[in-house]
Amino acid sequence: SPDSSSCWVSYMAYWLGSANADKARATAKRALDTINYRLEAEKLNVWSALFNLENSFGTHESLMDSCKAAAAVNDSKAVFVRLVAVLDKSKKYKEQDEIYSSVLLKKHKRSRKVWTAYASSLATQDRLQELRDMLAKALKSLPQHKHIRTMSHFAQLEYKHGDPNRGSTMYENVLNSYPARLDLWSIYLDKTIAQNDLEQSRLLLDRVIGLKLPAKKMKFFFKRYIDFETSQGDEGRVTEVREKARQFMDNITTE
């Protein structure tokens, strides 16, 4: 299919495998001229392939020239997000930092995706203090309705790359303000259980089943508690949780 980016990218890879970067560049140009202009995602895939080509076989100048050409005919944020992903994958962090500071965090500072992508990169580089300093800057720039998911993302990065206790504190702070956010409770549970801290996991599960939630949601968390005790506890603990679930259902029935 002439509109299939995967076909064009495979053809580019063929030429690169033959050590012919010029032919690969020409193939990318043909692809961009051929793919229907409405299929922006397909075109962006080809641009990404071209960025990878220039990053590996060209110069920094040829890479930036390709990026500027792409930004002129596509959504600029999408283009630069793809560019920093290429730089991040090849560990060209200095160049990536420059793109974030000079373009993305200037022109697109209200984008949660931009902040969280950069945060993830800093975390994998063990630049934890920069990561922690960034959160305040992100929250200052982002609209209020994007704060919760942003804070959750940073907390998850602490669990994975930094200090799990700090991640736990971040979730506690968010949930104190938004106790009805079941998605946050679920993620917090996942991260706590993954730490193999049985006591803390049980305390958290007890807190969740003590919330005033719709029956369907409570059944979900009771099941999680039973699955947890089946895996980590013993039959006595499983029975205890089942009894709590039964009492909850009895209370619903009598109300």
Side-chain angles (χ1 to χ4, degrees), residues 46-66:
V46 176
W47 281 113
S48 291
L50 185 56
F51 296 164
N52 276 299
L53 184 158
E54 297 298 351
N55 189 50
S56 299
F57 300 98
T59 64
H60 182 69
E61 289 71 25
S62 66
L63 173 60
M64 294 310 299
D65 286 344
S66 295

Side-chain angles (χ1 to χ4, degrees), residues 64-83:
M64 294 310 299
D65 286 344
S66 295
C67 181
K68 290 173 184 176
V73 293
N74 294 280
D75 175 71
S76 65
K77 183 181 82 171
V79 168
F80 280 100
V81 165
R82 300 242 181 171
L83 174 62

Side-chain angles (χ1 to χ4, degrees), residues 139-200:
L139 297 180
K140 185 177 179 180
S141 299
L142 292 170
Q144 184 70 31
H145 69 275
K146 296 183 179 182
H147 284 194
I148 297 175
R149 290 181 64 192
T150 302
M151 289 186 284
S152 178
H153 183 88
F154 276 73
Q156 291 177 65
L157 291 176
E158 287 288 351
Y159 274 103
K160 186 173 182 180
H161 300 283
D163 180 1
N165 289 330
R166 190 183 186 95
S168 174
T169 299
M170 293 170 72
Y171 271 115
E172 289 289 343
N173 291 337
V174 176
L175 286 166
N176 281 339
S177 301
Y178 303 96
R181 286 293 299 259
L182 303 186
D183 56 330
L184 298 182
W185 281 108
S186 188
I187 297 170
Y188 188 17
L189 275 170
D190 287 341
K191 299 304 178 183
T192 304
I193 292 171
Q195 294 298 308
N196 293 317
D197 186 336
L198 302 186
E199 181 179 358
Q200 186 60 34

